[in-house]
Amino acid sequence: MKFLTLLILFFSQSASAQGSYTMKDLRVLMEEKEYTEAILKMKNIAPSERTEEWKNMALTAATALVEKELDKPRGGGSAYHLSKNLATGFAFLEENGNFKKVMIKAGLSAIKARDFYDRSEIEDIAAVLVKIDPASIYSLVLDSGYEDIDRKFMQYLDDNSAAYLKDVKVRKFLLSAVKENLTRDADEVPGLKRSVMNKYKLTDDLVKELSAEIKRISSEAVKGVVPNGGSGLGVLLTMNTLGLPIEGPDFAAYILSRFIVAVNTHKNILPYLEKLSSRDLSAGAKALLAAVPERPFWFSGSGWDQDNKADLVRKYLKEVLPAAKKECEVYEKDSQLVPKHVAYNYDWVKAL
C-alpha cells in the first residue's frame, strides 16, 4: 500500500511538473520497463505531442503497474484503487477495452479477498465493475463471493437468459437464490423469481428439493421439535412466492403441527392451513396421532379460549380432537397418566 500512496502523491504532482523528459526519454524508460517513473513523467510531455504512441506507452505502463500490484499477496485492493487513479489521470484509459479488463480483474480480486478499506466499499466497487461491463456481475457473484442482496444478478440472468440456459453454475445459483426470502426484497422480486424459474425450467427441481426439506422438517415438527430459524415457514413462503402447490401429507403434517402447538403460531400458519384439502388434512392428522413427542406440545400456552379458536380447531383438527379429548379425560381420572400429546388447556379441549 505504500507503493500506491507514493504513486498517487507523485502522480498528482506530475501534471504541473516542468521536467526535461521527452518522448525519447519515455521510450528508454519503457524499454527498460521502468514503468513507475514512466507513468509519473507522462504528463511532462506537452499536450500537442501526446500522440498515439504516447497513449500506448501510458496504457502499457499503467497495465503493468496494476498487474504488478495484483501479483502481491492481498494486492487486489491496492490494484483496484491504482487502476481507478490511473484512469482518472489518463481519461482515455476509461474507454480502453484492455484497461477496462484490468480494472475489472483488480476489482474482482479485491472483492474475493475482501481487500478494501471498509465493508461499504464492496458495493462501490461492484457498481463500478457493472458499469464498465454488465456481464461482470457473473464473476462478481459466482467467482468472487459478492452477495446478490439486491437481486442484480438474478435480474441480469432474467434479461439475458438465452446466453446462460445451459450454464450449470447459473442453474445451481438460481436454485438457491429463488429459495432465499430476504427481508429487503422489493415488491417485484416474487415476479422476478417466477420468471427465472420458468425460463430456466427450475420447477421440477425446486419442488423436489422443497418437498424433501419439508418432509425432514415435518418428521420433527409432529414430535414438537421446532426447526431452527423458522426453516419450515421459509419453505412455505418460498412455495407461495413461486406459485408452487402446497399440498401432500408432509406439508399438511408440518402445517397442522405449527397450528396445534400454540396460538401465537396462527398468524403465520393460517394462510397455509386454509390451502390444504380435506385429504391432506386427514393425512396430517394421522401423522400427528402416530407421532410420539419427546414431551406433550398440543394446545400449549394461552389464548385458545379467545376469538374463534374453537371453531378453527373443530374445522381443521376434527380428526385429532377425539384422541386429544380422551387423553385429557384419562388424565382427569388419574394424574399419573400424563397425556402423550396434549400439553395444557385440558378443560378447554374436553369441552370442544
Side-chain angles (χ1 to χ4, degrees):
M1 194 64 76
K2 289 182 179 180
F3 165 78
L4 175 60
T5 303
L6 289 173
L7 182 56
I8 293 173
L9 175 64
F10 284 118
F11 185 60
S12 64
Q13 297 173 343
S14 64
S16 59
Q18 298 296 321
S20 58
Y21 276 72
T22 64
M23 284 294 292
K24 181 178 179 180
D25 295 320
L26 290 181
R27 291 188 192 103
V28 172
L29 292 175
M30 294 300 293
E31 288 174 4
E32 296 178 352
K33 298 184 178 182
E34 294 289 349
Y35 297 126
T36 301
E37 185 176 357
I39 206 73
L40 292 174
K41 300 303 180 182
M42 285 286 172
K43 293 296 181 75
N44 289 114
I45 304 301
S48 60
E49 296 180 28
R50 295 174 188 176
T51 62
E52 197 65 28
E53 179 188 10
W54 178 87
K55 289 184 178 180
N56 288 334
M57 286 181 180
L59 172 62
T60 299
T63 300
L65 289 172
V66 175
E67 293 283 4
K68 182 178 179 181
E69 282 297 294
L70 277 171
D71 286 339
K72 297 178 180 178
R74 293 186 60 81
S78 58
Y80 172 73
H81 285 285
L82 175 58
S83 70
K84 280 196 68 179
N85 279 282
L86 288 167
T88 299
F90 297 94
F92 69 91
L93 290 178
E94 288 186 320
E95 305 302 321
N96 184 276
N98 289 328
F99 196 73
K100 285 180 180 179
K101 292 178 182 178
V102 173
M103 286 189 71
I104 291 173
K105 181 180 178 181
L108 291 174
S109 176
I111 290 177
K112 186 173 184 178
R114 295 296 188 268
D115 187 16
F116 33 77
Y117 295 137
D118 57 66
R119 293 188 63 83
S120 65
E121 190 177 7
I122 189 171
E123 295 298 332
D124 296 333
I125 296 174
V128 170
L129 301 193
V130 171
K131 183 178 180 180
I132 293 173
D133 180 9
S136 65
I137 190 69
Y138 180 101
S139 294
L140 272 168
V141 175
L142 298 185
D143 301 323
S144 301
Y146 174 71
E147 295 181 33
D148 184 37
I149 56 177
D150 291 323
R151 309 294 191 181
K152 293 190 285 285
F153 188 37
M154 190 182 290
Q155 185 64 64
Y156 174 79
L157 292 173
D158 187 54
D159 294 338
N160 300 274
S161 58
Y164 297 99
L165 290 176
K166 296 182 180 180
D167 191 310
V168 176
K169 290 170 69 175
V170 163
R171 185 177 184 82
K172 182 178 179 181
F173 165 79
L174 286 175
L175 282 171
S176 175
V178 297
K179 291 190 293 184
E180 291 178 326
N181 301 298
L182 305 179
T183 55
R184 62 179 292 162
D185 277 344
D187 292 341
E188 62 269 17
V189 168
L192 175 60
K193 286 182 175 183
R194 290 191 292 270
S195 180
V196 296
M197 180 182 73
N198 293 327
K199 288 180 180 179
Y200 288 84
K201 302 185 185 305
L202 305 175
T203 304
D204 290 346
D205 285 346
L206 283 168
V207 170
K208 183 179 179 180
E209 288 183 13
L210 292 167
S211 296
E213 190 171 351
I214 207 70
K215 182 180 181 69
R216 175 185 60 78
I217 294 170
S218 67
S219 68
E220 296 296 313
V222 293
K223 299 175 184 176
V225 179
V226 180
N228 293 329
S231 54
L233 283 174
V235 172
L236 295 179
L237 178 57
T238 295
M239 298 288 286
N240 195 52
T241 298
L242 298 176
L244 299 174
I246 297 174
E247 60 187 14
D250 295 319
F251 280 98
Y254 173 73
I255 292 169
L256 286 179
S257 297
R258 293 296 86 208
F259 174 74
I260 203 172
V261 68
V263 170
N264 60 16
T265 68
H266 291 183
K267 180 179 179 181
N268 292 325
I269 210 69
L270 272 174
Y272 303 109
L273 184 60
E274 293 165 357
K275 293 176 181 290
L276 296 176
S277 66
S278 57
R279 182 178 179 178
D280 287 340
L281 285 171
S282 180
K286 289 178 181 177
L288 275 173
L289 291 167
V292 179
E294 295 179 359
R295 62 181 60 85
F297 71 95
W298 292 2
F299 305 109
S300 299
S302 61
W304 288 98
D305 57 348
Q306 299 172 5
D307 302 325
N308 63 337
K309 296 298 185 292
D311 292 336
L312 290 172
V313 170
R314 293 189 192 99
K315 179 179 180 180
Y316 294 116
L317 295 172
K318 61 183 179 181
E319 295 185 39
V320 173
L321 271 180
K325 287 184 177 183
K326 186 175 181 180
E327 286 188 4
C328 295
E329 291 167 357
V330 169
Y331 178 66
E332 185 180 40
K333 294 176 181 179
D334 186 350
S335 61
Q336 298 299 312
L337 299 175
V338 178
K340 181 171 65 174
H341 297 97
V342 181
Y344 302 105
N345 299 287
Y346 307 125
D347 290 338
W348 182 82
V349 171
K350 285 190 300 177
L352 287 170

